[in-house]
Protein backbone atom coordinates (compact mmCIF):
# COMPACT_ATOMS: atom_id res chain seq x y z
CA UNK A 1 0.00 0.00 0.00
CA UNK A 2 1.52 3.29 -1.08
CA UNK A 3 1.02 6.15 1.36
CA UNK A 4 -0.80 9.02 -0.41
CA UNK A 5 1.31 12.15 -0.79
CA UNK A 6 -0.14 15.63 -1.35
CA UNK A 7 2.35 18.42 -1.96
CA UNK A 8 1.78 22.14 -2.43
CA UNK A 9 4.17 23.92 -4.77
CA UNK A 10 3.88 27.62 -3.94
CA UNK A 11 6.18 28.56 -6.84
CA UNK A 12 7.33 32.22 -6.66
CA UNK A 13 4.38 33.36 -4.56
CA UNK A 14 3.56 34.62 -1.04
CA UNK A 15 5.43 36.99 1.25
CA UNK A 16 7.18 35.92 4.44
CA UNK A 17 4.07 36.92 6.41
CA UNK A 18 1.45 35.39 4.11
CA UNK A 19 3.52 32.23 3.62
CA UNK A 20 3.80 31.71 7.38
CA UNK A 21 0.09 32.32 7.82
CA UNK A 22 -0.69 29.74 5.13
CA UNK A 23 1.74 27.23 6.67
CA UNK A 24 0.15 27.77 10.09
CA UNK A 25 -3.36 27.05 8.78
CA UNK A 26 -2.18 23.85 7.06
CA UNK A 27 -0.16 22.77 10.10
CA UNK A 28 -3.22 23.16 12.36
CA UNK A 29 -5.27 20.89 10.11
CA UNK A 30 -2.57 18.19 9.96
CA UNK A 31 -1.28 17.66 13.49
CA UNK A 32 1.31 14.97 14.25
CA UNK A 33 -1.47 12.52 15.11
CA UNK A 34 -2.61 12.55 11.46
CA UNK A 35 0.21 10.85 9.63
CA UNK A 36 -1.55 8.37 7.31
CA UNK A 37 -1.01 10.77 4.42
CA UNK A 38 2.19 12.60 3.56
CA UNK A 39 1.52 16.33 3.27
CA UNK A 40 4.19 18.80 2.20
CA UNK A 41 4.46 22.48 1.39
CA UNK A 42 7.22 23.89 -0.81
CA UNK A 43 7.58 27.63 -0.18
CA UNK A 44 10.04 29.91 -1.96
CA UNK A 45 13.62 29.36 -0.71
CA UNK A 46 13.88 32.54 1.43
CA UNK A 47 10.88 31.44 3.49
CA UNK A 48 11.96 27.86 4.22
CA UNK A 49 13.13 28.62 7.71
CA UNK A 50 10.12 30.58 8.91
CA UNK A 51 7.69 28.11 7.31
CA UNK A 52 9.58 25.27 9.01
CA UNK A 53 8.95 26.93 12.38
CA UNK A 54 5.22 26.99 11.66
CA UNK A 55 5.23 23.30 10.73
CA UNK A 56 7.14 22.19 13.83
CA UNK A 57 4.18 20.76 15.76
CA UNK A 58 2.51 19.18 12.75
CA UNK A 59 2.96 16.21 10.41
CA UNK A 60 3.39 18.56 7.43
CA UNK A 61 6.75 18.21 5.70
CA UNK A 62 8.91 20.91 4.19
CA UNK A 63 9.80 20.99 0.50
CA UNK A 64 12.07 23.04 -1.73
CA UNK A 65 11.40 23.86 -5.38
CA UNK A 66 14.91 23.41 -6.77
CA UNK A 67 18.55 22.91 -5.88
CA UNK A 68 21.96 22.81 -7.56
CA UNK A 69 23.96 19.61 -7.97
CA UNK A 70 27.18 20.72 -6.26
CA UNK A 71 27.75 20.60 -2.49
CA UNK A 72 29.43 24.00 -2.19
CA UNK A 73 31.73 26.37 -4.01
CA UNK A 74 31.77 29.28 -6.43
CA UNK A 75 28.26 28.94 -7.84
CA UNK A 76 26.77 32.36 -7.21
CA UNK A 77 23.08 32.29 -6.50
CA UNK A 78 22.76 28.53 -6.26
CA UNK A 79 21.66 26.44 -3.27
CA UNK A 80 23.05 22.97 -2.53
CA UNK A 81 21.05 19.93 -1.38
CA UNK A 82 23.16 19.93 1.79
CA UNK A 83 21.98 23.48 2.56
CA UNK A 84 18.38 22.39 2.10
CA UNK A 85 18.91 19.39 4.38
CA UNK A 86 20.45 21.77 6.92
CA UNK A 87 17.17 23.72 6.90
CA UNK A 88 15.12 20.55 7.58
CA UNK A 89 13.89 20.21 4.01
CA UNK A 90 12.42 16.74 3.43
CA UNK A 91 11.84 16.68 -0.34
CA UNK A 92 13.05 18.78 -3.24
CA UNK A 93 10.97 19.18 -6.40
CA UNK A 94 13.17 18.65 -9.47
CA UNK A 95 12.50 18.81 -13.19
CA UNK A 96 9.37 20.91 -12.88
CA UNK A 97 8.14 21.91 -16.34
CA UNK A 98 8.69 25.59 -15.54
CA UNK A 99 12.35 24.82 -14.87
CA UNK A 100 12.58 22.75 -18.04
CA UNK A 101 10.76 25.19 -20.32
CA UNK A 102 11.42 28.64 -18.81
CA UNK A 103 14.83 28.09 -17.19
CA UNK A 104 16.11 25.68 -19.84
CA UNK A 105 16.98 22.68 -17.67
CA UNK A 106 17.81 19.50 -19.58
CA UNK A 107 17.39 15.88 -18.53
CA UNK A 108 21.16 15.85 -17.95
CA UNK A 109 20.99 18.81 -15.54
CA UNK A 110 18.04 17.25 -13.76
CA UNK A 111 19.80 13.88 -13.49
CA UNK A 112 22.76 15.50 -11.71
CA UNK A 113 20.42 17.26 -9.30
CA UNK A 114 18.44 14.08 -8.55
CA UNK A 115 21.65 12.18 -7.80
CA UNK A 116 23.02 14.99 -5.61
CA UNK A 117 19.78 15.43 -3.68
CA UNK A 118 19.42 11.71 -2.93
CA UNK A 119 23.08 11.61 -1.94
CA UNK A 120 22.42 14.43 0.53
CA UNK A 121 19.61 12.40 2.11
CA UNK A 122 16.75 14.41 0.63
CA UNK A 123 13.67 12.91 -0.96
CA UNK A 124 13.06 13.91 -4.56
CA UNK A 125 9.83 14.69 -6.38
CA UNK A 126 10.82 14.29 -10.03
CA UNK A 127 8.35 15.92 -12.42
CA UNK A 128 7.77 14.63 -15.92
CA UNK A 129 5.14 15.57 -18.49
CA UNK A 130 4.38 16.14 -22.13
CA UNK A 131 3.46 19.38 -23.89
CA UNK A 132 0.23 19.72 -25.87
CA UNK A 133 2.27 19.47 -29.05
CA UNK A 134 3.82 16.17 -27.86
CA UNK A 135 0.40 14.78 -26.98
CA UNK A 136 -1.17 15.79 -30.29
CA UNK A 137 1.74 14.23 -32.17
CA UNK A 138 1.19 10.95 -30.28
CA UNK A 139 4.53 11.30 -28.50
CA UNK A 140 3.34 11.32 -24.87
CA UNK A 141 4.84 7.96 -23.92
CA UNK A 142 8.12 8.67 -25.72
CA UNK A 143 8.53 11.95 -23.84
CA UNK A 144 7.66 10.39 -20.49
CA UNK A 145 10.05 7.49 -21.07
CA UNK A 146 12.84 9.86 -22.08
CA UNK A 147 12.35 12.20 -19.11
CA UNK A 148 12.22 9.24 -16.73
CA UNK A 149 15.29 7.43 -18.06
CA UNK A 150 17.19 10.73 -18.50
CA UNK A 151 16.35 11.98 -15.02
CA UNK A 152 17.19 8.70 -13.29
CA UNK A 153 20.21 7.67 -15.36
CA UNK A 154 22.88 5.81 -13.38
CA UNK A 155 20.78 5.55 -10.22
CA UNK A 156 20.07 2.17 -8.64
CA UNK A 157 16.78 0.88 -7.23
CA UNK A 158 18.38 1.05 -3.75
CA UNK A 159 19.18 4.73 -4.18
CA UNK A 160 15.66 5.48 -5.44
CA UNK A 161 13.95 3.52 -2.68
CA UNK A 162 15.56 5.62 0.04
CA UNK A 163 16.62 4.39 3.43
CA UNK A 164 14.72 3.08 6.40
CA UNK A 165 11.33 4.59 5.81
CA UNK A 166 12.75 8.10 6.02
CA UNK A 167 11.68 10.84 3.66
CA UNK A 168 14.50 10.20 1.25
CA UNK A 169 12.84 8.25 -1.51
CA UNK A 170 12.06 9.10 -5.10
CA UNK A 171 8.51 10.26 -5.86
CA UNK A 172 7.37 10.93 -9.41
CA UNK A 173 4.94 13.64 -10.45
CA UNK A 174 3.15 13.29 -13.76
CA UNK A 175 2.36 16.84 -14.82
CA UNK A 176 1.08 17.29 -18.36
CA UNK A 177 2.42 20.73 -19.30
CA UNK A 178 -0.88 21.71 -20.96
CA UNK A 179 -2.70 21.20 -17.66
CA UNK A 180 -0.42 23.31 -15.45
CA UNK A 181 -2.00 26.58 -14.38
CA UNK A 182 -4.45 26.43 -17.29
CA UNK A 183 -7.53 25.11 -15.51
CA UNK A 184 -7.44 22.13 -17.90
CA UNK A 185 -7.05 18.86 -16.02
CA UNK A 186 -6.22 15.53 -17.57
CA UNK A 187 -9.26 13.27 -17.12
CA UNK A 188 -8.73 10.68 -14.39
CA UNK A 189 -8.54 8.04 -17.14
CA UNK A 190 -5.87 9.94 -19.11
CA UNK A 191 -3.84 10.50 -15.97
CA UNK A 192 -4.21 6.85 -14.90
CA UNK A 193 -2.95 5.72 -18.30
CA UNK A 194 0.17 7.89 -18.02
CA UNK A 195 0.78 6.81 -14.42
CA UNK A 196 0.47 3.12 -15.33
CA UNK A 197 2.90 3.69 -18.20
CA UNK A 198 5.42 5.37 -15.89
CA UNK A 199 5.10 2.54 -13.39
CA UNK A 200 5.72 -0.02 -16.15
CA UNK A 201 8.88 1.88 -17.16
CA UNK A 202 10.05 1.93 -13.53
CA UNK A 203 9.53 -1.84 -13.40
CA UNK A 204 11.46 -2.31 -16.64
CA UNK A 205 14.41 -0.23 -15.50
CA UNK A 206 14.53 -0.74 -11.73
CA UNK A 207 12.45 -3.83 -10.94
CA UNK A 208 8.93 -4.66 -9.80
CA UNK A 209 9.52 -3.90 -6.13
CA UNK A 210 10.63 -0.34 -6.74
CA UNK A 211 7.81 0.20 -9.25
CA UNK A 212 5.22 -1.07 -6.76
CA UNK A 213 6.59 1.09 -3.93
CA UNK A 214 7.09 4.39 -5.79
CA UNK A 215 4.44 7.06 -5.30
CA UNK A 216 3.35 8.86 -8.48
CA UNK A 217 1.58 12.18 -7.92
CA UNK A 218 -0.62 13.85 -10.49
CA UNK A 219 -0.18 17.57 -11.06
CA UNK A 220 -1.94 20.07 -13.31
CA UNK A 221 -4.92 22.15 -12.15
CA UNK A 222 -5.75 19.87 -9.22
CA UNK A 223 -8.50 21.48 -7.16
CA UNK A 224 -11.03 20.46 -4.51
CA UNK A 225 -13.61 19.62 -7.21
CA UNK A 226 -11.46 17.10 -9.11
CA UNK A 227 -9.09 15.74 -6.44
CA UNK A 228 -11.20 12.79 -5.26
CA UNK A 229 -11.74 11.38 -8.77
CA UNK A 230 -8.05 11.67 -9.61
CA UNK A 231 -6.91 10.15 -6.30
CA UNK A 232 -9.30 7.22 -6.72
CA UNK A 233 -7.31 5.93 -9.70
CA UNK A 234 -5.20 2.90 -8.82
CA UNK A 235 -1.87 4.36 -9.97
CA UNK A 236 -2.44 7.94 -8.74
CA UNK A 237 -0.87 8.15 -5.30
CA UNK A 238 -1.22 11.83 -4.55
CA UNK A 239 -1.16 15.29 -6.01
CA UNK A 240 1.34 18.05 -6.71
CA UNK A 241 -0.74 21.18 -6.39
CA UNK A 242 0.24 24.63 -7.67
CA UNK A 243 -2.43 27.36 -7.74
CA UNK A 244 -4.80 25.64 -5.32
CA UNK A 245 -2.02 25.24 -2.73
CA UNK A 246 -1.89 29.00 -2.19
CA UNK A 247 -4.92 29.08 0.07
CA UNK A 248 -5.79 26.75 2.94
CA UNK A 249 -9.39 26.93 1.76
CA UNK A 250 -8.46 25.18 -1.50
CA UNK A 251 -5.51 23.06 -0.38
CA UNK A 252 -7.04 21.44 2.71
CA UNK A 253 -10.00 19.82 0.88
CA UNK A 254 -7.45 18.22 -1.47
CA UNK A 255 -5.53 16.93 1.56
CA UNK A 256 -8.81 15.61 3.01
CA UNK A 257 -9.58 13.84 -0.28
CA UNK A 258 -6.29 11.97 0.18
CA UNK A 259 -7.11 11.07 3.79
CA UNK A 260 -10.43 9.70 2.53
CA UNK A 261 -8.48 7.20 0.41
CA UNK A 262 -6.79 5.49 3.37
P1 LIG B 1 -1.24 24.04 -11.00
O1 LIG B 1 0.34 23.74 -10.95
O2 LIG B 1 -1.88 23.20 -9.92
O3 LIG B 1 -1.37 25.51 -10.75
O4 LIG B 1 -1.71 23.64 -12.35
C1 LIG B 1 0.82 22.44 -10.72
C2 LIG B 1 2.32 22.46 -10.72
O5 LIG B 1 2.92 23.21 -11.51
O6 LIG B 1 2.96 21.73 -9.93
Amino acid sequence: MRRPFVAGNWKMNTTAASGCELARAIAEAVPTSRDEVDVLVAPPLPYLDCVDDELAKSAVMLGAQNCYHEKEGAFTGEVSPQMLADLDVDYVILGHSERRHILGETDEDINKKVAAALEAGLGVILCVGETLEDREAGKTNDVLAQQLSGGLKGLTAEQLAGGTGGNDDLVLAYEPVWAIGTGKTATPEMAQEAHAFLRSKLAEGWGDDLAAATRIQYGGSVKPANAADLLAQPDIDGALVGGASLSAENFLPIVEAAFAQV
Side-chain angles (χ1 to χ4, degrees):
M1 175 73 192
R2 293 180 293 268
R3 175 195 287 263
F5 190 169
V6 177
N9 171 13
W10 296 359
K11 307 191 180 182
M12 202 172 74
N13 292 297
T14 72
T15 61
S18 72
C20 286
E21 197 182 317
L22 176 56
R24 199 173 313 137
I26 296 165
E28 272 166 19
V30 191
T32 42
S33 54
R34 298 189 82 199
D35 63 353
E36 307 86 1
V37 169
D38 281 346
V39 180
L40 172 140
V41 294
L45 285 173
Y47 307 147
L48 282 172
D49 210 25
C50 68
V51 165
D52 188 40
D53 290 344
E54 299 295 343
L55 302 180
K57 291 198 188 77
S58 78
V60 181
M61 296 186 289
L62 185 65
Q65 301 172 21
N66 182 34
C67 69
Y68 195 55
H69 67 270
E70 296 283 356
K71 282 195 180 90
E72 61 186 2
F75 306 104
T76 301
E78 294 295 334
V79 171
S80 73
Q82 286 72 14
M83 291 170 179
L84 296 180
D86 206 13
L87 286 177
D88 293 335
V89 165
D90 296 292
Y91 285 86
V92 58
I93 300 169
L94 294 173
H96 190 277
S97 73
E98 285 145 22
R99 299 218 52 95
R100 293 177 188 268
H101 299 293
I102 305 174
L103 285 308
E105 284 186 16
T106 64
D107 283 327
E108 205 181 5
D109 299 326
I110 295 160
N111 180 230
K112 286 190 216 157
K113 294 180 180 206
V114 172
L118 292 172
E119 167 77 29
L122 295 175
V124 168
I125 299 176
L126 172 64
C127 305
V128 297
E130 81 287 359
T131 62
L132 187 58
E133 202 184 354
D134 297 330
R135 181 162 278 270
E136 286 175 346
K139 291 191 194 149
T140 299
N141 286 355
D142 292 346
V143 170
L144 296 182
Q146 172 53 44
Q147 291 180 348
L148 189 72
S149 63
L152 300 182
K153 198 171 158 199
L155 293 162
T156 64
E158 287 68 33
Q159 286 169 299
L160 302 182
T164 50
N167 304 316
D168 56 354
D169 56 332
L170 170 84
V171 173
L172 292 180
Y174 169 59
E175 298 207 304
V177 179
W178 48 271
I180 297 178
T182 57
K184 288 185 199 146
T185 322
T187 62
E189 294 72 26
M190 278 160 89
Q192 165 58 26
E193 195 182 325
H195 283 229
F197 175 75
L198 286 167
R199 203 175 299 288
S200 74
K201 286 282 143 188
L202 277 177
E204 242 174 77
W206 292 271
D208 290 341
D209 288 352
L210 186 85
T214 302
R215 276 91 55 89
I216 308 180
Q217 300 172 324
Y218 170 78
S221 299
V222 177
K223 36 187 183 267
N226 60 25
D229 285 347
L230 287 161
L231 292 169
Q233 299 298 313
D235 286 291
I236 300 185
D237 310 309
L240 181 54
V241 187
S245 73
L246 289 172
S247 79
E249 200 182 21
N250 285 320
F251 188 62
L252 289 176
I254 299 171
V255 170
E256 292 306 330
F259 273 103
Q261 294 289 320
V262 293

